[in-house]
């Protein structure tokens, strides 16, 4: 059973992340994991239950000429843990102030073909943070670290952003740059 990725992404963009753990079951086939919005680009991340596995999916969006969000693309990777417990425990292996950039996706924003140096892209990168990190700051945005530690960072420029991690007191504890695909 699939979910409506655009409708659920719009819900995340407008309402933010729900509180509580990621839980999947036969009835609850997907759960929101993270969202980031940077002006007219956004990335959403979901965990979806498949047959004998779960999928970690990212969707990239932009605002069209009429002011409405539209899906540019998305994708994901699967893992053979249908309970999603491995996903929840992933940060257990990190140091308390560690920031681990993960897979990065990119989609051509303008629909130009073939892509050229002037082509605009929307990119999103998965990030996993240690338990001592309360939030990430990216170009003036504040991304609270959820209890499971999985986030998504979006950008629409050619240069990947610098991410600073902060503890519960607001002190900077780590700095890193997420990388574009390639």
């Amino acid at each position: 059973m699939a979910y409506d990725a655009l409708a659920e992404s719009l819900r995340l963009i407008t309402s933010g992340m729900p509180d509580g753990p990621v839980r999947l079951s036969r009835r609850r086939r997907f759960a929101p994991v993270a969202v980031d919005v940077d002006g007219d680009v956004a990335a959403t991340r979901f965990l979806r239950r498949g047959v004998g596995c779960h999928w970690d999916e990212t969707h990239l969006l932009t605002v069209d000429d009429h002011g409405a969000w539209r899906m540019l693309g998305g994708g994901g990777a699967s893992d053979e843990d249908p309970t999603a417990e491995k996903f929840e425990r992933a940060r257990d292996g990190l140091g308390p102030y560690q920031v681990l950039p993960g897979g990065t996706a990119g989609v051509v924003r303008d629909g130009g073909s073939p892509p050229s140096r002037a082509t605009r892209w929307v990119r999103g990168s998965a990030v996993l943070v240690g338990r001592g990190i309360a939030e990430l700051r990216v170009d003036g945005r504040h991304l609270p670290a959820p209890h499971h530690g999985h986030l998504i960072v979006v950008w629409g420029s050619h240069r990947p952003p610098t991410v600073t991690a902060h503890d519960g007191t607001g002190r900077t504890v780590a700095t890193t740059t997420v990388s574009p695909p390639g």
Side-chain angles (χ1 to χ4, degrees):
M1 177 180 200
Y3 64 103
D4 184 337
L6 178 59
E8 295 301 329
S9 292
L10 293 175
R11 184 184 332 270
L12 274 180
I13 290 169
T14 58
S15 301
M17 284 293 300
D19 292 329
V22 173
R23 297 286 184 242
L24 300 177
S25 67
R26 289 183 184 206
R27 287 188 157 172
R28 179 72 171 156
R29 305 288 294 184
F30 71 95
V33 172
V35 61
D36 185 22
V37 179
D38 183 16
D40 63 349
V41 297
T44 59
R45 189 172 173 192
F46 294 87
L47 195 61
R48 179 177 57 87
R49 185 172 190 251
V51 177
C53 67
H54 77 264
W55 291 86
D56 185 354
E57 299 179 330
T58 297
H59 305 287
L60 301 173
L61 301 94
T62 190
V63 175
D64 66 19
D65 294 337
H66 305 290
W69 286 101
R70 70 179 175 97
M71 184 91 59
L72 294 174
S78 67
D79 192 327
E80 294 180 4
D81 180 6
T83 65
E85 289 175 5
K86 183 177 176 183
F87 182 83
E88 293 264 347
R89 291 188 316 263
R91 72 193 308 199
D92 291 346
L94 295 181
Y97 302 119
Q98 191 173 357
V99 178
L100 183 63
T104 301
V107 178
V108 174
R109 180 178 181 169
D110 303 325
S113 180
S116 69
R117 211 158 171 57
T119 301
R120 295 186 319 159
W121 290 77
V122 174
R123 293 185 171 98
S125 183
V127 178
L128 180 63
V129 299
R131 294 192 184 281
I133 296 175
E135 82 173 1
L136 294 182
R137 295 182 189 165
V138 186
D139 296 333
R141 301 186 312 277
H142 297 253
L143 304 175
H147 62 281
H148 51 67
H150 294 269
L151 294 105
I152 189 81
V153 174
V154 70
W155 70 98
S157 63
H158 289 289
R159 236 190 272 148
T162 297
V163 175
T164 58
H166 299 264
D167 66 12
T169 67
R171 178 178 60 111
T172 300
V173 294
T175 301
T176 189
T177 301
V178 294
S179 300

